[in-house]
Every structure is written in structure tokens, then in C-alpha cells.
Amino acid sequence: MTFNKYLLAIASSAVIASPLYAATIYKTDTQEFNIDGRAEVRGYRADGSYDDTSRVRLNLSGSNALSDDLTVFGRYEFEIKENDETGDTDISSTRHLYVGADTNYGTVIYGHQNNAVTYLTNFTDQAETFSGYINEFNAVTGDRSRNTLRYAVESDGLTFQVSGTKIDATSTQGFGAVVGYKVSPAVELAAGFTSAEVADDTTNTYLLGAKYSKDSVYLAATGLMGDEEGDDFEGMDAFAAYYFGENAVNVSYNYYSQDDADDEKLNFIGLEYARYIDNFAVYGSYKIALSGDTADGDEEDAIQIGARYKF
């Protein structure tokens, strides 16, 4: 994967998580249907134990231009993993399931999809393994959520997104908004806010992000802070990467702390090397647990190695 393709992956996450290697199954002047996916073998070792976390992802997407001013589209992406006990394959999760419309006034999407503030948190959620953890502690700031309505518009370097979510099964509802602005071709800043309600508990989150990308260097940082019924929390995620030829090295730092939640504390450094050859990638990642890193249990270092083929 070249650096330009990597930047394309980042940019595509602004509105629709577009695949880079989609195969076009059907296409006319107004309609298009694509299929793509990945097969990825992964091994994770921590605290003396080994887990096989291999997976397959399949994605179906299509669009239909109804007029020069209106295009409708849909997407379904799911993940398959092996059952640890039986060896059978199970559909473990739905990642995207939505329909939407692209108009001259912006894009509207409804379904299981990215939240509005995912645009900001994707600045640093770029490593193969150890980055982008601090926003996953509630559904409205998480990468994706069910029953979500999102509106997105871009113009002259300015990006605005707003989303609302209501999940009856977990009594979760809330909304989020983000504004991003490209100060220059290399620099973008963003700010966001979310408010989530689970049962009778309300969580307000404030987010800031910045990224820099030029030549073979990519730098980004995101931060958040807020409160959950008077219980304050804060977090930050920093990411730096260098790309040379078909190779990439990166380092990340994740920190999250909530006053009354000792089992939800992040504090670690991630180191990673990856090699990208067309549709194939192989990588190795190492997590250095720092003092107070308890979100995955006791403080422990971890290593993950993987190989992935996109189709």
C-alpha cells in the first residue's frame, strides 16, 4: 500500500467507509454493485497465553444515481470468526448495515454505521492493532453504533457531521456532532461533542483532534474529556507513522482514565511494523503496558502478528 493509498483510506472514512479493493460485479451508467473483503490470520499473546483472533470480513455495497442531484446507496459488512470451542465459523458481528442518499446538500445515512465523531477519532485510529481505543467506552463516541441517523457535508476544506442514535435493547440514546477544518493541504483540525444516555445515566464528552500528513510522514493526536453523572474521565491517543516504499512503521500512545472505574484505565505504548504488497499485508505489533493499564485485566505487555489478504 503506497502512502497515497493510505491517505485515501483516511479521507474515505469522512462519510462512507469505502473499500479500496472492491470488485465491481455489476455496473451501468447509473447503477453499481461491489463486493470486497479480507481474510486475516492473527495471533495474540499476552500474560503467557496465546489466542487465535483470525477473522474474515465481507462487504457488499451498491449505489444508484436516480438523477444528477440524487444518488442512493447501501452497504452491508459482517465479520466471521471461528468458534473457539467447536471450530465452526460464526458470523460474530455486523459492522455496517445502512442505506443513504447523496445530494447536492450533503449525505444522509441511516443504520448501523459510523458515528459523527468517528471522523475525528479516525485521525489516530490507524495502526493495525494498538491505536484508537479511548473512544470505545460508550456507544455514541464508539466507531460504530446501531440505529444511527447521520448527516455529513463538506465544502471548501470544512467538514460538518451530526448523528443521533437510539438503541432500545440497551436503553441507549444520544447524539454527536463534529466540525473539521483543513488549515492547509497537510494540516486538519477538528472538534466534537457527544451526549449519551444509558438508562438514567448521562455522559457528555468533548473531543479535539489534529492531524498532519505530508510526503512519508503522518502525525495525529486526539483527546477527550467529560463526565458521567459527576464521574470525570479523560483520554488521549497519539499516533506517528513513517512510510517508505512498501513498508510502514508507527508508534502510538493510548491513555484513558475515569475516576471511579479502575477496570477501565488505558495507559500503553504501541509499536508496529507492517509491509504492504498490493492486496497483501503482514505486520507485527507490540504493546508496552505502563503503570495503571487495567482495561484488559492486569498490567501486561502483549504482542500480535498477522497477515491479511484483501479481495
Side-chain angles (χ1 to χ4, degrees), residues 132-172:
Y133 285 73
I134 64 173
N135 60 307
E136 293 296 336
F137 291 94
N138 75 72
V140 180
T141 60
D143 288 342
R144 297 168 302 277
S145 60
R146 293 181 287 119
N147 301 340
T148 297
L149 178 65
R150 179 165 58 108
Y151 170 75
V153 63
E154 297 181 30
S155 179
D156 297 327
L158 184 68
T159 296
F160 172 74
Q161 295 195 31
V162 61
S163 62
T165 297
K166 184 173 179 59
I167 307 174
D168 292 332
T170 58
S171 301
T172 297

Side-chain angles (χ1 to χ4, degrees), residues 98-298:
Y98 60 71
V99 295
D102 191 12
T103 75
N104 292 335
Y105 303 99
T107 301
V108 179
I109 310 172
Y110 177 76
H112 192 150
Q113 57 160 316
N114 292 352
N115 287 300
V117 295
T118 305
Y119 179 85
L120 184 158
T121 59
N122 273 349
F123 284 8
T124 50
D125 189 7
Q126 298 297 332
E128 295 288 345
T129 305
F130 297 118
S131 69
Y133 285 73
I134 64 173
N135 60 307
E136 293 296 336
F137 291 94
N138 75 72
V140 180
T141 60
D143 288 342
R144 297 168 302 277
S145 60
R146 293 181 287 119
N147 301 340
T148 297
L149 178 65
R150 179 165 58 108
Y151 170 75
V153 63
E154 297 181 30
S155 179
D156 297 327
L158 184 68
T159 296
F160 172 74
Q161 295 195 31
V162 61
S163 62
T165 297
K166 184 173 179 59
I167 307 174
D168 292 332
T170 58
S171 301
T172 297
Q173 60 184 353
F175 69 92
V178 66
V179 176
Y181 180 67
K182 292 183 178 179
V183 180
S184 71
V187 178
E188 184 172 8
L189 306 176
F193 171 76
T194 70
S195 181
E197 184 176 329
V198 182
D200 295 325
D201 294 335
T202 300
T203 302
N204 295 316
T205 307
Y206 305 86
L207 305 98
L208 291 174
K211 68 177 181 179
Y212 169 87
S213 57
K214 188 175 182 180
D215 299 329
S216 297
V217 176
Y218 182 87
L219 306 173
T222 59
L224 60 79
M225 61 182 298
D227 68 273
E228 181 179 355
E229 294 297 311
D231 187 13
D232 294 335
F233 58 85
E234 61 184 4
M236 71 165 294
D237 187 8
F239 179 83
Y242 179 71
Y243 305 90
F244 52 105
E246 296 174 326
N247 306 279
V249 292
N250 68 65
V251 58
S252 63
Y253 174 67
N254 283 257
Y255 172 81
Y256 179 90
S257 178
Q258 186 169 341
D259 288 348
D260 295 331
D262 290 335
D263 60 342
E264 293 185 353
K265 293 184 183 295
L266 296 171
N267 191 24
F268 68 84
I269 294 172
L271 304 173
E272 185 173 272
Y273 165 77
R275 182 171 176 83
Y276 301 96
I277 308 171
D278 294 328
N279 292 21
F280 179 74
V282 60
Y283 61 88
S285 307
Y286 188 75
K287 169 189 170 182
I288 304 172
L290 305 176
S291 176
D293 183 50
T294 59
D296 292 326
D298 296 332

Side-chain angles (χ1 to χ4, degrees), residues 41-54 129-130 133 283-289 293 296 298-306:
V41 292
R42 305 185 300 173
Y44 183 88
R45 183 174 179 83
D47 195 27
S49 63
Y50 172 84
D51 292 314
D52 186 330
T53 57
S54 300
T129 305
F130 297 118
Y133 285 73
Y283 61 88
S285 307
Y286 188 75
K287 169 189 170 182
I288 304 172
D293 183 50
D296 292 326
D298 296 332
E299 293 179 21
E300 57 186 33
D301 293 351
I303 187 170
Q304 178 164 300
I305 57 174

